[in-house]
Amino acid sequence: MADPILAAARSNIGESLDELRRAIDGLSSDALNDRLAGEGTNPMAVIVTHALESTRAWLSLATGAPIPERDRPAEFRAVADDGFPAWVEGRIGECLALLDGAGTFDPAREHVAIWTSEPQPRSAAWALLHATAHLGEHVGHAHVMRDLVRNVHA
Protein backbone atom coordinates (compact mmCIF):
# COMPACT_ATOMS: atom_id res chain seq x y z
CA MET A 1 0.00 0.00 0.00
CA ALA A 2 1.24 3.49 -0.82
CA ASP A 3 2.42 5.81 1.89
CA PRO A 4 -0.70 7.78 2.91
CA ILE A 5 1.16 11.09 2.93
CA LEU A 6 2.47 10.55 -0.59
CA ALA A 7 -0.96 9.35 -1.75
CA ALA A 8 -2.58 12.51 -0.37
CA ALA A 9 0.11 14.68 -1.97
CA ARG A 10 -0.36 12.84 -5.29
CA SER A 11 -4.08 13.59 -5.21
CA ASN A 12 -3.68 17.27 -4.29
CA ILE A 13 -0.77 17.97 -6.59
CA GLY A 14 -2.42 16.00 -9.39
CA GLU A 15 -5.48 18.23 -9.17
CA SER A 16 -3.32 21.36 -9.28
CA LEU A 17 -1.38 20.08 -12.28
CA ASP A 18 -4.68 19.37 -14.05
CA GLU A 19 -5.66 22.98 -13.37
CA LEU A 20 -2.41 24.24 -14.93
CA ARG A 21 -3.09 22.07 -17.96
CA ARG A 22 -6.60 23.54 -18.29
CA ALA A 23 -5.27 27.08 -17.85
CA ILE A 24 -3.15 26.90 -20.99
CA ASP A 25 -5.50 24.72 -23.05
CA GLY A 26 -6.27 26.31 -26.38
CA LEU A 27 -4.19 29.45 -25.83
CA SER A 28 -1.92 30.61 -28.64
CA SER A 29 1.78 31.26 -28.13
CA ASP A 30 1.01 34.98 -28.37
CA ALA A 31 -1.52 34.69 -25.57
CA LEU A 32 0.85 32.61 -23.42
CA ASN A 33 3.62 35.19 -23.87
CA ASP A 34 1.54 38.35 -23.44
CA ARG A 35 2.71 40.58 -20.57
CA LEU A 36 -0.74 42.03 -20.07
CA ALA A 37 0.18 44.43 -17.29
CA GLY A 38 3.47 45.63 -18.79
CA GLU A 39 7.10 44.63 -19.14
CA GLY A 40 7.69 44.06 -15.43
CA THR A 41 5.02 41.36 -15.20
CA ASN A 42 5.05 37.65 -15.87
CA PRO A 43 3.11 36.12 -18.75
CA MET A 44 1.32 32.79 -18.47
CA ALA A 45 4.30 30.95 -20.02
CA VAL A 46 6.58 32.15 -17.22
CA ILE A 47 4.07 31.37 -14.47
CA VAL A 48 3.54 27.82 -15.74
CA THR A 49 7.24 27.20 -16.40
CA HIS A 50 8.26 28.38 -12.95
CA ALA A 51 5.44 26.44 -11.26
CA LEU A 52 6.43 23.18 -12.96
CA GLU A 53 10.19 23.54 -12.52
CA SER A 54 9.79 24.47 -8.87
CA THR A 55 7.35 21.64 -8.21
CA ARG A 56 9.67 19.11 -9.87
CA ALA A 57 12.63 20.31 -7.79
CA TRP A 58 10.79 20.33 -4.47
CA LEU A 59 9.17 16.93 -5.14
CA SER A 60 12.58 15.50 -5.96
CA LEU A 61 13.87 16.71 -2.62
CA ALA A 62 10.73 15.44 -0.83
CA THR A 63 10.89 11.95 -2.34
CA GLY A 64 14.65 11.47 -2.19
CA ALA A 65 14.99 11.44 -5.99
CA PRO A 66 18.04 12.98 -7.66
CA ILE A 67 17.73 16.76 -7.70
CA PRO A 68 17.30 17.96 -11.29
CA GLU A 69 19.35 20.70 -12.85
CA ARG A 70 17.50 23.97 -12.44
CA ASP A 71 18.12 27.47 -13.78
CA ARG A 72 15.59 29.45 -11.76
CA PRO A 73 16.37 32.84 -13.38
CA ALA A 74 15.80 31.30 -16.83
CA GLU A 75 12.30 30.23 -15.77
CA PHE A 76 11.36 33.91 -15.67
CA ARG A 77 12.55 34.38 -19.27
CA ALA A 78 10.54 31.47 -20.65
CA VAL A 79 8.83 31.98 -23.98
CA ALA A 80 6.13 29.63 -25.21
CA ASP A 81 6.26 28.28 -28.73
CA ASP A 82 4.26 25.59 -30.53
CA GLY A 83 6.00 22.92 -28.44
CA PHE A 84 5.08 24.47 -25.10
CA PRO A 85 1.97 22.32 -24.43
CA ALA A 86 4.01 19.14 -25.04
CA TRP A 87 6.76 20.42 -22.73
CA VAL A 88 4.13 21.12 -20.05
CA GLU A 89 2.76 17.57 -20.42
CA GLY A 90 6.26 16.18 -20.05
CA ARG A 91 6.96 18.15 -16.87
CA ILE A 92 3.56 17.20 -15.42
CA GLY A 93 4.41 13.57 -16.08
CA GLU A 94 7.78 13.94 -14.37
CA CYS A 95 6.20 15.54 -11.30
CA LEU A 96 3.60 12.79 -10.98
CA ALA A 97 6.20 10.08 -11.57
CA LEU A 98 8.19 11.38 -8.62
CA LEU A 99 5.21 10.81 -6.34
CA ASP A 100 4.12 7.56 -7.99
CA GLY A 101 7.62 6.10 -7.89
CA ALA A 102 8.44 7.01 -4.31
CA GLY A 103 8.39 4.21 -1.79
CA THR A 104 7.99 5.27 1.79
CA PHE A 105 8.09 8.86 2.90
CA ASP A 106 10.76 9.89 5.41
CA PRO A 107 9.63 13.36 6.49
CA ALA A 108 12.83 14.00 8.46
CA ARG A 109 15.25 13.30 5.58
CA GLU A 110 17.11 16.49 4.74
CA HIS A 111 18.74 17.78 1.59
CA VAL A 112 20.15 21.16 0.69
CA ALA A 113 17.97 23.13 -1.70
CA ILE A 114 20.74 24.70 -3.76
CA TRP A 115 18.39 26.68 -6.03
CA THR A 116 17.08 28.91 -3.24
CA SER A 117 18.45 32.39 -2.57
CA GLU A 118 20.11 31.07 0.58
CA PRO A 119 20.88 27.35 0.16
CA GLN A 120 19.99 25.52 3.32
CA PRO A 121 18.89 22.07 4.44
CA ARG A 122 15.18 21.40 4.08
CA SER A 123 13.34 18.36 5.36
CA ALA A 124 11.33 16.15 3.04
CA ALA A 125 8.20 17.20 4.96
CA TRP A 126 8.96 20.89 4.40
CA ALA A 127 9.68 20.29 0.71
CA LEU A 128 6.45 18.35 0.15
CA LEU A 129 4.32 20.97 1.90
CA HIS A 130 6.10 23.78 0.08
CA ALA A 131 5.69 22.07 -3.30
CA THR A 132 1.95 21.76 -2.68
CA ALA A 133 1.44 25.33 -1.44
CA HIS A 134 3.69 26.97 -4.02
CA LEU A 135 2.05 25.11 -6.89
CA GLY A 136 -1.39 26.08 -5.59
CA GLU A 137 -0.37 29.73 -5.48
CA HIS A 138 0.69 29.64 -9.12
CA VAL A 139 -2.44 27.78 -10.17
CA GLY A 140 -4.36 30.77 -8.79
CA HIS A 141 -2.16 33.11 -10.82
CA ALA A 142 -2.75 31.00 -13.93
CA HIS A 143 -6.53 31.17 -13.49
CA VAL A 144 -6.46 34.95 -13.24
CA MET A 145 -4.11 35.20 -16.23
CA ARG A 146 -6.32 32.91 -18.30
CA ASP A 147 -9.34 35.14 -17.67
CA LEU A 148 -7.35 38.22 -18.62
CA VAL A 149 -5.73 36.65 -21.66
CA ARG A 150 -9.06 35.34 -22.96
CA ASN A 151 -10.53 38.85 -22.78
CA VAL A 152 -7.60 40.39 -24.64
CA HIS A 153 -7.04 37.63 -27.21
CA ALA A 154 -10.70 36.78 -27.89
Side-chain angles (χ1 to χ4, degrees):
M1 178 173 198
D3 185 292
I5 293 172
L6 291 176
R10 170 59 165 89
S11 177
N12 288 325
I13 288 172
E15 289 173 12
S16 290
L17 293 171
D18 285 343
E19 290 295 321
L20 274 186
R21 181 184 287 122
R22 282 191 284 280
I24 68 164
D25 186 45
L27 295 179
S28 67
S29 294
D30 286 344
L32 291 168
N33 295 317
D34 196 339
R35 293 181 186 273
L36 295 169
E39 280 307 305
T41 63
N42 292 319
M44 179 76 87
V46 165
I47 292 167
V48 171
T49 298
H50 172 67
L52 291 172
E53 295 291 52
S54 176
T55 300
R56 183 176 68 139
W58 287 114
L59 290 178
S60 295
L61 194 151
T63 61
I67 305 299
E69 294 279 326
R70 183 171 179 207
D71 183 353
R72 189 177 184 282
E75 296 166 19
F76 293 91
R77 297 186 303 271
V79 176
D81 57 17
D82 291 341
F84 188 71
W87 178 85
V88 168
E89 285 302 319
R91 278 297 189 263
I92 286 173
E94 290 175 27
C95 289
L96 295 176
L98 286 164
L99 293 167
D100 292 341
T104 58
F105 182 62
D106 177 3
R109 185 186 58 253
E110 288 193 344
H111 195 285
V112 175
I114 59 172
W115 60 86
T116 59
S117 57
E118 294 182 26
Q120 56 188 303
R122 294 290 189 189
S123 70
W126 192 97
L128 186 61
L129 291 172
H130 183 70
T132 304
H134 187 256
L135 177 60
E137 176 183 350
H138 289 306
V139 166
H141 295 152
H143 280 296
V144 170
M145 286 297 294
R146 177 159 178 98
D147 290 344
L148 294 171
V149 165
R150 288 170 73 186
N151 286 330
V152 170
H153 291 269

